[in-house]
């Protein structure tokens, strides 16, 4: 969950359904928000083609 809070990852369909139940909101609302977040997120790879993951954990 902390990765979601830090905007490192966006929850997938499985977790969106559970979050909708827990938060008592329509799953469509969360799915639309997740779609927008994915569109706005920077690319996972930079100009060098290296991924975001650098092997260190915080």
């Amino acid at each position: 969950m902390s990765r979601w809070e830090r905007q490192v990852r966006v929850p997938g369909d499985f977790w969106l359904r559970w979050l909708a139940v827990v938060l008592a909101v329509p799953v469509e609302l969360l799915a639309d928000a997740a779609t927008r977040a994915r569109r706005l997120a920077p690319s996972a790879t930079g100009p060098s083609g290296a991924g975001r993951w650098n092997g260190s954990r915080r």
Side-chain angles (χ1 to χ4, degrees):
M1 183 179 293
S2 68
R3 289 183 289 172
W4 301 341
E5 293 170 341
R6 290 181 285 132
Q7 299 176 353
V8 174
R9 292 197 44 121
V10 177
D13 292 338
F14 174 82
W15 288 111
L16 287 176
R17 288 192 297 272
W18 279 108
L19 288 168
V21 170
V22 171
L23 298 173
V25 298
V27 70
E28 294 82 11
L29 178 69
L30 296 180
D32 290 344
T35 300
R36 284 193 303 276
R38 286 183 186 107
R39 281 191 209 135
L40 296 174
S43 172
T45 59
S48 66
R52 261 194 253 187
W53 176 251
N54 65 5
S56 65
R57 296 191 73 158
R58 295 179 191 203

